[in-house]
Amino acid sequence: MSADPALLLNRLQNVKRTGDQQWRACCPVHESKSRSSLSIRQVEDGRLLIHCHGGCEPLEILKVCGLEMTDLMPERITHNATPQEKQKWCEAATMREWEKARATIQHEARVIWVAGKQIKDGKPLNDVDDKRLDEALEQITIQGRKLNAR
């Protein structure tokens, strides 16, 4: 369940995709020479986030586009949802969290591998490397706790 980005993007000018679930466009509130003063991003929970680099408020932007803040939000679990739908949504959220934790652990394991290879090659770790290694170990511990909490 996600907000539909097209609902907002179709109301903006000079829309360009800048990444996975990320766009830039002209802000409809202020006159800007920049063709990409408005950043739009869809986050994992399905919300659309908007940010004007010229300082315009999100509510102003939405008003000009004929939208409301709720249009940037995904459909939420309601009292009308069946128990099976609620369970399906909860399971999907759990799987997203597990995938994030797995990806973080995998990345941090690579950091540790690089440090180990450096030590194996007889090159000592400097203070920056040592601090980054500590951070990697901390992140693995945090993500491991998230996985064990489920």
Side-chain angles (χ1 to χ4, degrees):
M1 299 287 167
S2 295
D4 182 7
L7 186 64
L8 174 62
L9 298 175
N10 290 338
R11 298 166 193 241
L12 299 172
Q13 304 247 335
N14 299 320
V15 176
K16 291 184 182 180
R17 181 179 286 271
T18 58
D20 186 36
Q21 302 299 315
Q22 296 180 33
W23 302 267
R24 296 292 292 253
C26 289
C27 176
V29 175
H30 73 277
E31 297 294 323
S32 172
K33 294 182 180 177
S34 171
R35 305 186 93 197
S36 59
S37 57
L38 183 65
S39 294
I40 304 105
R41 180 168 58 111
Q42 189 157 40
V43 292
E44 284 186 30
D45 66 4
R47 290 175 297 141
L48 283 173
L49 303 180
I50 59 174
H51 174 75
C52 175
H53 298 278
C56 299
E57 292 294 324
L59 289 175
E60 292 178 276
I61 296 166
L62 293 172
K63 184 176 180 181
V64 170
C65 291
L67 299 172
E68 297 180 10
M69 193 62 79
T70 56
D71 293 317
L72 302 183
M73 306 297 166
E75 183 179 329
R76 294 288 182 211
I77 296 175
T78 66
H79 296 293
N80 298 332
T82 67
Q84 293 84 4
E85 288 174 320
K86 290 180 183 179
Q87 182 178 357
K88 180 181 163 189
W89 294 333
C90 289
E91 287 172 359
T94 298
M95 290 306 292
R96 284 192 302 272
E97 287 299 312
W98 283 354
E99 178 55 30
K100 274 177 54 179
R102 185 205 58 79
T104 300
I105 290 170
Q106 188 175 30
H107 175 76
E108 299 301 338
R110 283 191 206 110
V111 169
I112 294 169
W113 178 82
V114 168
K117 182 153 178 28
Q118 185 173 330
I119 292 168
K120 179 183 169 201
D121 292 343
K123 300 174 186 171
L125 299 178
N126 62 31
D127 290 343
V128 173
D129 294 336
D130 193 44
K131 185 175 180 179
R132 181 60 182 95
L133 189 57
D134 288 343
E135 183 181 321
L137 293 171
E138 181 180 346
Q139 279 301 312
I140 288 173
T141 302
I142 290 168
Q143 299 307 319
R145 284 186 193 133
K146 286 181 183 179
L147 292 175
N148 286 335
R150 305 276 183 216

